[in-house]
Amino acid sequence: VQLLQKKRAELHTLGIDWRITGIASRRLGWCVNTGGFDPENLCGADPCGAGALAREKSINDVHQWLRSVQANVLFEATSLNVASGQPAIDNLRAALEFGAHAITANKGPVVHGYQELRDLAQSKGKRFLFESAVMDGAPIFSLFRELPAIHLKSFRGILNSTTNLILTEMERGMTFDESVEKAQSLGLAETDPSNDTEGWDATVKVAALVTVLMGVPTKPQQIQREGITRLKVEDVRAARQHGQPYKLVCRAQRTSSGVEASVGPQQLPLSDPLSAVAGTSSAVYFETDVLPGLAIIESNPGVETTAYGMLADFIHAVG
Ligand SMILES: NC(=O)c1ccc[n+]([C@@H]2O[C@H](COP(=O)([O-])OP(=O)(O)OC[C@H]3O[C@@H](n4cnc5c(N)ncnc54)[C@H](OP(=O)(O)O)[C@@H]3O)[C@@H](O)[C@H]2O)c1
């Protein structure tokens, strides 16, 4: 909402105006204001206070809610469900069936529902877009949409900020637990950080890139995965001192029978550009048939970076 507000004038120059007619979450329930919620209130310290977001008690599901708010666009940002991609898939499907564009920052529906949601969007003349799902606002999916007749052979990268920050802080002297606490205090890691530290978040991102960019439907469970929890702090420090730092490396390589993909800690030489990706930054290197080396590096992303991916999707959908 803050970014939509900040960019309102620029959006006007693109012929785009907006108002927020519905908000929903587990705690809030289904909220409706067809006249449009006041964005300043929503960005304030207590957006849910004073009944501003009164739950519409007569609404019981996403279909009723979409009808009530007369949505043109749904921004879906529920938590990642690694195993099923739900409830995001149901929410996005409902939006497209209703006739709204479906935008998500959640990678779950990309790996568990890509083909279905893409085809549904096409049949409805709407867009299913998910730029923020991998590397926040960095333009990965939109970049490849702009590269016609290209064949992605492989990629490798660092795609999980939390583990990269934890490894960086361990190299600098913190314990594993202290590094996790720092990642939590920065709002990166959740209370239960295991989705990141066990490599699941990175694995779902690899599955999303393989599914969409390589055209090979791939579930996270099909990817060889190892997190960083088995690494000892003294080994991480020694590895950096010997010029071979540990990184949680994501890889995918096209083979004669499909794609081989993995996520796991690896020691990299300092000559490898991935070894210089520190803290919360992330990077991915693509090898294509015509562009042998193409890289995207994202330094120090914040929550606005993620919001920008969703804003860019919004502009692509309605512009
Ligand atoms: N944070 C980032 O920088 C970032 C970057 C890239 C992608 N993403 C993706 O963006 C999504 C949101 O991230 P986040 O950090 O905001 O996650 P989060 O802290 O887990 O918040 C998720 C939100 O979704 C709501 N929610 C979860 N399950 C729900 C359900 N079953 N029904 C209705 N509402 C539900 C929660 O509502 P309640 O609070 O009411 O429970 C909460 O408002 C995730 O999929 C994440 O992977 C985030």
Side-chain angles (χ1 to χ4, degrees), residues 16 72-75 96 100-104 125-130 145 309-319:
I16 300 169
N72 302 120
V73 179
L74 173 73
F75 292 89
L96 292 167
H101 299 290
I103 293 169
T104 187
K126 299 290 163 191
R127 304 294 298 274
F128 165 49
L129 296 172
F130 39 81
R145 286 202 300 272
M310 299 188 89
L311 180 80
D313 284 345
F314 173 54
I315 295 168
H316 286 135
V318 304

Side-chain angles (χ1 to χ4, degrees), residues 25-28 77-80 87 105-107 132 136 306:
S25 90
R26 263 178 314 214
R27 281 173 304 148
L28 296 170
T78 56
S79 320
L80 170 65
N106 188 334
K107 45 206 166 282
S132 293
D136 314 300
T306 303

Side-chain angles (χ1 to χ4, degrees), residues 1-11 17-18 20 37-43 311:
V1 177
Q2 280 169 1
L3 192 60
L4 278 168
Q5 277 285 73
K6 189 168 153 183
K7 297 284 181 181
R8 193 185 274 277
E10 275 168 81
L11 291 174
D17 200 2
W18 56 268
I20 297 169
F37 291 98
D38 178 354
E40 296 298 338
N41 274 351
L42 295 178
C43 296
L311 180 80

Side-chain angles (χ1 to χ4, degrees), residues 57-72:
K57 295 213 174 65
S58 58
I59 297 180
N60 295 314
D61 66 28
V62 64
H63 302 279
Q64 287 179 325
W65 177 68
L66 288 162
R67 274 198 301 277
S68 301
V69 305
Q70 285 299 301
N72 302 120

